[in-house]
Amino acid sequence: MRIGVPRETAVGEKRVATVPEVVAKLVKLGFAVSVESGAGEAANFSDDDYRAAGADVVGSAAELWAAADIVFKVRPPTSDEVALLREGGMLIGFVWPAQNPELMQQLAARRATVLAIDSLPRQLSRAQKMDALTSMAGVSGYRAVIEAANAFGRLFNGQITAAGKIPPAKVFIAGAGVAGLAAIGTAANMGAIVRANDTRAEVADQVVSLGGEFVKVDYEEEGSGGGGYAKVMSEGFQAAQRKMYAEQAKDADIIITTALIPGKPAPRLITAEMVQSMKAGSVIVDMAAEQGGNCELTVPGEAVVRHGVTIVGYTDLASRMARQSSTLYSNNLLRLAEELCKAKDGKAVVNMEDDAIRGLTVIKEGTVTWPPPPLQLPAPPPKPKVAAPAPAAKGHGHGAGEPMSGTALAVVFGLGAIVFLLVGLYAPAAFLAHFTVFVLACFIGYMVVWNVTPSLHTPLMSVTNAISSIIAIGALIQIAPPLDAAGAADRSNTLILALAVFALALTAINMIGGFAVTQRMLAMFRK
């Protein structure tokens, strides 16, 4: 089968559906690839690059569409392009079936098979390699910060110079999905103070890990709508959210909005009053401009100034980084082609039993199959039940972590006193002296070891070094034996002396190694 890659006809669109690097991989799958002349020029891919990768370069769009069994596109096709599609052919690209019912009918009339890359069931972990929405959102989030910095006209990071002090820019990001997280990471790396909000509470840790601060709405409601999107929130939550946004608008220098709900117009988050309350020279980048915008004053496709605030409503953020976004998008389509052509024989097979392919397929041989049936996701594993501890009987022992009762403590000390009394009455005098030293050593050793404060060590290293120090003291005592009656050192037991020297050497190695490791650990945190 032949894959056709036409030049994108949408105004300002610079991306191309396949790059030369991916063409070579498609050829290895058994496909023939045709590219319209000039399709990759705006993304800095020449016709010669495609020829070198094994593609045929076709002079006109009509010739390409007529020869292609499968067409790879970025933007949804126009009516003229649908008319060029071969009857019974296959189209893969962004289609947005909920927003384009007329286009769906036109494609169905051509008996086409259409795989909408925007309809991929993103809940499936194995579908991530085909997730073009995530790829494009990441690029768009990065580019949104670049556009904001360009319009802001000031440094993002704070500085203290001879000419004066420059405060860091304050950036607020509404929505912490893929695009929002990319924007958070980029702005934080540029030195700005970044705050972000999202209706999904689970993204708070991700925001913090990227260097931002999560701003919570003072209203308890979960906002996860499944598939990586947020859901429409209650009126009470929206009122509390508007109040929080109004406070952030007064303080922020830059606001980047990313909020979208699939199949619905973009929610209005920033009102005209909030824009008016912002400082002169502030910037709003509305990444939802193509779906109506999150800001009330956004003009899709343009950058306008309202109340001294620049509102950027560009709808081609990913296209403004055409080479990067084209490479990512073409890799997503390559992974899809691998799923369609598992035999690597150049024939695409649409397996409707495959959940990922079924979700992508919005039209099958002229029959509209969108929306797909709900996914049957496996149920999460049940949480292990923790058995409740059995209550201890009154007066008999104590639970874990509970202090010993007075009665039990008295019994223990009483038994200990009886044992010591029996030892004192019946044991030899020499044994009694050694036993007393042993008991005192255990008590003192316990207090010394377990009361070590791990200031410069891990707790385990602190304890091992403390034990080693006690062993070293004991070994030193044995190396310097007591004096005999004549005042000379008693060195009659050479075995004990040898063991003491050996123990001292081992403990010295352990202690020196512990401090060496500590120094290396501390050096990791020094710049």
Side-chain angles (χ1 to χ4, degrees):
M1 299 179 76
R2 180 170 293 276
I3 295 175
V5 182
R7 180 201 289 254
E8 294 296 323
T9 59
V11 177
E13 182 56 68
K14 299 177 181 178
R15 289 173 292 178
V16 62
T18 300
V19 302
E21 180 185 352
V22 171
V23 166
K25 296 176 182 178
L26 291 172
V27 171
K28 287 183 180 179
L29 287 175
F31 293 105
V33 181
S34 296
V35 179
E36 184 182 351
S37 179
E41 282 183 358
N44 296 318
F45 298 111
S46 68
D47 291 347
D48 290 338
D49 292 335
Y50 284 104
R51 289 190 185 97
D56 299 324
V57 177
V58 179
S60 67
E63 184 182 351
L64 180 128
W65 283 83
D69 301 297
I70 306 171
V71 175
F72 282 2
K73 268 189 62 60
V74 180
R75 294 274 185 171
T78 63
S79 298
D80 293 338
E81 288 175 325
V82 172
L84 294 174
L85 179 64
R86 284 178 56 180
E87 192 164 345
M90 184 182 295
L91 174 70
I92 300 176
F94 286 104
V95 178
W96 306 108
Q99 290 89 344
N100 297 308
E102 293 182 5
L103 174 61
M104 292 284 288
Q105 293 302 319
Q106 292 171 8
L107 290 167
R110 300 291 295 175
R111 295 195 299 109
T113 296
V114 180
L115 275 66
I117 199 71
D118 48 270
S119 296
L120 179 76
R122 302 166 80 186
Q123 303 95 314
L124 300 175
S125 58
R126 68 183 186 85
Q128 292 177 2
K129 60 186 179 181
M130 301 178 279
D131 190 358
L133 283 173
T134 294
S135 300
M136 297 302 99
V139 175
S140 298
Y142 175 88
R143 184 68 189 198
V145 177
I146 302 303
E147 295 292 342
N150 180 58
F152 186 48
R154 275 176 43 200
L155 298 178
F156 265 43
N157 61 323
Q159 294 185 13
I160 299 177
T161 70
K165 183 179 179 181
I166 302 172
K170 296 180 180 179
V171 179
F172 177 71
I173 296 172
V178 176
L181 292 173
I184 291 167
T186 305
N189 288 336
M190 292 174 67
I193 297 173
V194 184
R195 300 187 181 97
N197 168 259
D198 197 281
T199 58
R200 297 160 292 186
E202 66 267 19
V203 304
D205 291 339
Q206 300 176 41
V207 171
V208 174
S209 69
L210 289 170
E213 175 191 346
F214 189 78
V215 183
K216 194 174 183 297
V217 177
D218 190 16
Y219 194 96
E220 294 299 328
E221 183 177 352
E222 174 53 41
S224 180
Y229 294 99
K231 69 176 184 179
V232 179
M233 306 300 287
S234 67
E235 183 55 41
F237 182 92
Q238 293 181 32
Q241 187 182 52
R242 284 192 293 270
K243 180 181 177 182
M244 183 269 290
Y245 282 160
E247 294 171 356
Q248 292 297 324
K250 294 176 182 178
D251 186 52
D253 299 305
I254 295 169
I255 295 178
I256 298 175
T257 65
T258 70
L260 283 173
I261 298 171
K264 296 180 180 294
R268 289 295 169 85
L269 305 178
I270 308 298
T271 63
E273 290 77 12
M274 294 180 195
V275 175
Q276 194 168 2
S277 70
M278 296 179 71
K279 293 170 283 191
S282 299
V283 178
I284 297 174
V285 180
D286 193 341
M287 294 184 63
E290 195 167 5
Q291 280 75 42
N294 296 136
C295 178
E296 189 177 350
L297 302 180
T298 297
V299 178
E302 298 181 21
V304 297
V305 178
R306 299 287 185 268
H307 307 294
V309 177
T310 302
I311 304 172
V312 179
Y314 297 148
T315 57
D316 59 346
L317 290 173
S319 183
R320 288 171 180 254
M321 301 187 68
R323 188 178 181 92
Q324 180 68 76
S325 54
S326 296
T327 301
L328 294 174
Y329 181 68
S330 59
N331 278 324
N332 294 138
L333 295 192
L334 170 65
R335 302 309 171 199
L336 174 55
E338 290 174 345
E339 292 293 318
L340 296 174
C341 183
K342 293 185 177 180
K344 297 184 179 180
D345 57 358
K347 295 180 182 178
V349 178
V350 179
N351 180 14
M352 299 296 275
E353 299 299 320
D354 186 315
D355 287 338
I357 302 301
R358 174 63 188 89
L360 284 167
T361 307
V362 295
I363 300 176
K364 177 72 182 298
E365 297 174 356
T367 302
V368 176
T369 59
W370 186 87
L375 280 176
Q376 299 297 325
L377 296 175
K383 294 182 179 179
K385 293 183 179 179
V386 180
K394 263 191 177 181
H396 297 281
H398 60 284
E402 296 178 4
M404 188 180 292
S405 65
T407 304
L409 191 63
V411 170
V412 170
F413 272 96
L415 290 175
I418 293 172
V419 170
F420 275 98
L421 178 63
L422 293 174
V423 170
L425 290 175
Y426 298 103
F431 174 81
L432 186 62
H434 289 298
F435 182 71
T436 304
V437 172
F438 173 74
V439 171
L440 292 175
C442 289
F443 177 75
I444 295 171
Y446 175 84
M447 297 303 295
V448 168
V449 171
W450 293 110
N451 283 325
V452 171
T453 302
S455 300
L456 295 177
H457 304 72
T458 63
L460 177 62
M461 198 176 297
S462 300
V463 172
T464 56
N465 272 7
I467 294 173
S468 297
S469 64
I470 294 176
I471 296 172
I473 293 172
L476 287 172
I477 293 174
Q478 295 301 324
I479 289 174
L483 301 178
D484 57 15
D490 183 10
R491 300 185 182 274
S492 58
N493 199 332
T494 56
L495 177 62
I496 293 178
L497 180 63
L499 289 175
V501 172
F502 183 67
L504 184 61
L506 287 182
T507 53
I509 293 172
N510 185 62
M511 293 170 66
I512 294 170
F515 283 106
V517 171
T518 299
Q519 290 300 318
R520 293 187 64 178
M521 292 173 62
L522 292 175
M524 294 171 61
F525 299 96
R526 295 194 186 103
K527 292 186 177 180

